[in-house]
Amino acid sequence: MSIKNLVGYQVLDSRGRPTLAVTLTMSDGSIHTARVPSGASTGIHEAKELRDTDTKFAEKYYGGKSVYQAVENINNTIAPRLKGHRPIPLATDGILVELDHTPDHHILGANALLAVSLAVAKAAAHTAGISLARYFQPEGKLLIPMPMVNILSGGAHANRTMDIQDVLVLPNGATSFAEALSWIVAIRELAASKGAKAGSVTHLIADEGGLGIAFPGIDNALEFVTGCIEDLGLNVGAQVSLAIDVAAAQFFDGTKYKLATQDREFSSEQFVGFVTKLVNNHPILSIEDPFGEDDWQAWSHFMESAPSNLQVLGDDLFTTNAARLKRGIEEKCANAILIKANQNGLVTSTHSVLKTAQANNFKTVVSARSGETEDSWLADLATGWRASQIKVGSTHGADRTAKWNRLLELEAIEECEFARPF
Ligand code: PGA
Ligand code: ZN
């Protein structure tokens, strides 16, 4: 079976902003569509997402955020080159790299490349007669990753109601994905109603479906979520723990860490102390981006005294980039990596970064973006790649539930086991 046709076009993401889709038609008439996500608190080292700046495309209505140039790149440059080829991800990704060999894929756009790369992977799984998850792991039980789920949102996703971006929960004691999800939904419901009773809900549902409740400080937000877990009779620590995404690059100016809601400033050294206190005072099992994306020293310094069971997770630090991960491993800056396909640009090289991390005993957390679509390929990649965790935002919004529901589907129809990474 070969690729008969490939069409790129602009669609909308969960924020109502333009993003890219590709529909690929195979010689057997089957149709495979892939849609790409888009971040808001993006790392500066991410692959380049092409947005229209050329006056030819930049219409006033989308405020420079349209992706018509990337659409043209797919339809005029990529499609003619791939037509007639068999859908083999490694080979077609190789052709995409030939067409745009720049490390950040700024010529054709990482969004254009990823949309095509994903559509080809879907077509390859179809050709093999198996699910996308199974395509990456043909034999044995699939591993359903542990969900890391957003309860409270702040930072760039919630009008900066909190300085840190997410307070999440990790159902580390759950024995199945279905059980994990039931606990999480209960925690989120209770957090919403307790927040409303206290009169502190801003009525804001944030970009990833989390609650945008305003708290005077980070400690209060963490105590609030811990209280919700306890009120439900769940054992804090043994069954459910906290995770946070500090997204520190959002408030680090290169010299100072500035917590605006508390009107406090920290040097890099002082902020290592602040974060250390935070993880020692609360039941936190995972901390993401506690320091700036180029403040490597703060990361390695923190790691020296961090609790041994703490997951120290690099998102903006690594940007799913092989060279940055290599440096992080060598300098012992973290022990886990967030994997976002659109930070990288290609399915196979994203997979390769994840495999390097696994080979170096790093935990891997496959992640959605704050701007998502109803596409659910992320659930299949996370499962087929044996990632230990998956981060999709909250349990609200079809862009989020599409992934959770696909994991429930995989757990029901495939032979699976549930990841217990902690
Ligand atoms: P983004 O945020 O998709 O807006 O970059 C997600 C994250 O920081 O994990
Ligand atoms: Zn992050």
Side-chain angles (χ1 to χ4, degrees):
M1 258 182 277
S2 60
I3 297 168
K4 189 173 160 209
N5 201 16
L6 191 66
V7 183
Y9 48 96
Q10 178 172 293
V11 293
L12 296 181
D13 73 10
S14 52
R15 274 190 279 257
R17 293 192 189 141
T19 190
L20 262 184
V22 160
T23 294
L24 184 156
T25 308
M26 294 291 292
S27 53
D28 68 349
S30 64
I31 288 173
H32 310 280
T33 294
R35 303 177 187 92
V36 297
S38 175
S41 78
T42 47
I44 54 173
H45 303 288
E46 295 192 18
K48 175 99 176 114
E49 178 185 72
L50 211 61
R51 299 250 172 218
D52 296 326
T53 45
D54 193 317
T55 43
K56 174 174 153 206
F57 298 111
E59 314 167 352
K60 60 179 177 179
Y61 299 115
Y62 287 123
K65 292 202 180 304
S66 58
V67 292
Y68 296 120
Q69 177 65 62
V71 167
E72 275 206 356
N73 294 346
I74 292 172
N75 295 339
N76 299 343
T77 308
I78 299 174
R81 188 72 176 75
L82 289 188
K83 276 183 203 170
H85 281 260
R86 288 197 296 143
I88 302 169
L90 261 179
T92 47
D93 280 0
I95 294 173
L96 294 174
V97 171
E98 260 173 46
L99 293 171
D100 181 349
H101 57 275
T102 60
D104 65 354
H105 304 308
H106 67 267
I107 298 175
L108 296 178
N111 44 352
L113 264 50
L114 182 65
V116 174
S117 184
L118 282 166
V120 168
K122 287 186 180 190
H126 164 81
T127 304
I130 48 181
S131 69
L132 184 58
R134 267 283 167 229
Y135 181 76
F136 290 102
Q137 191 201 309
E139 303 287 335
K141 285 186 180 174
L142 292 173
L143 188 72
I144 301 282
M146 176 161 288
M148 179 194 280
V149 185
N150 188 320
I151 304 296
L152 305 176
S153 294
H157 296 168
N159 210 18
R160 304 191 192 276
T161 43
M162 286 191 293
D163 293 301
I164 66 171
Q165 190 167 283
D166 309 321
V167 178
L168 312 99
V169 288
L170 264 170
N172 52 294
T175 53
S176 71
F177 179 70
E179 182 179 44
L181 206 54
S182 69
W183 292 355
I184 287 160
V185 168
I187 295 165
R188 192 193 184 283
E189 293 287 305
L190 186 60
S193 67
K194 276 176 80 170
K197 273 197 202 116
S200 53
V201 167
T202 62
H203 298 287
L204 175 73
I205 297 294
D207 286 0
E208 295 186 328
L211 301 163
I213 303 177
F215 289 94
I218 300 168
D219 287 304
N220 310 85
L222 296 173
E223 280 158 17
F224 176 81
V225 176
T226 305
C228 291
I229 300 168
E230 282 168 347
D231 289 355
L232 285 163
L234 289 162
N235 190 312
V236 176
Q239 288 180 300
V240 183
S241 303
L242 300 184
I244 55 175
D245 182 359
V246 179
Q250 293 284 316
F251 55 81
F252 180 54
D253 65 7
T255 352
K256 294 265 180 234
Y257 289 86
K258 293 180 178 166
L259 298 181
T261 61
Q262 298 172 51
D263 200 17
R264 291 175 75 185
E265 276 191 12
F266 304 80
S267 69
S268 185
E269 204 52 41
Q270 289 166 334
F271 204 60
V272 171
F274 178 83
V275 171
T276 304
K277 236 191 239 160
L278 217 52
V279 298
N280 287 332
N281 291 346
H282 299 277
I284 295 173
L285 199 50
S286 175
I287 185 162
E288 180 178 336
D289 283 349
F291 309 106
E293 52 215 320
D294 288 309
D295 196 3
W296 296 89
Q297 256 198 326
W299 285 83
S300 52
H301 187 185
F302 173 68
M303 278 290 282
E304 283 164 20
S305 58
S308 58
N309 65 341
L310 180 71
Q311 173 169 275
V312 182
L313 178 57
D315 169 14
D316 293 341
L317 178 71
F318 294 132
T319 56
T320 319
N321 175 292
R324 294 184 68 85
L325 173 61
K326 185 165 174 281
R327 177 167 177 190
I329 292 168
E330 282 166 6
E331 295 180 19
K332 295 192 172 58
C333 291
N335 57 27
I337 180 173
L338 206 76
I339 297 284
K340 289 169 167 170
N342 79 325
Q343 285 180 331
N344 179 292
L346 294 165
V347 172
T348 54
S349 57
T350 300
H351 191 191
S352 153
V353 172
L354 174 133
K355 283 190 285 193
T356 304
Q358 286 171 333
N360 285 279
N361 293 319
F362 266 46
K363 291 201 178 80
T364 53
V365 186
V366 167
S367 173
R369 300 307 302 248
S370 52
E372 267 294 335
T373 73
E374 63 280 21
D375 209 333
S376 63
W377 48 262
L378 191 81
D380 281 69
L381 294 192
T383 304
W385 289 353
R386 303 190 68 78
S388 70
Q389 295 144 75
I390 183 167
K391 184 183 177 218
V392 165
S394 193
T395 47
H396 273 231
D399 49 319
R400 311 292 145 186
T401 54
K403 282 73 162 173
W404 302 133
N405 290 344
R406 176 60 180 157
L407 289 170
L408 289 166
E409 185 178 8
L410 285 169
E411 191 173 53
I413 64 171
E414 298 270 10
E415 241 203 299
C416 292
E417 56 190 326
F418 181 53
R420 303 286 305 274
F422 298 101

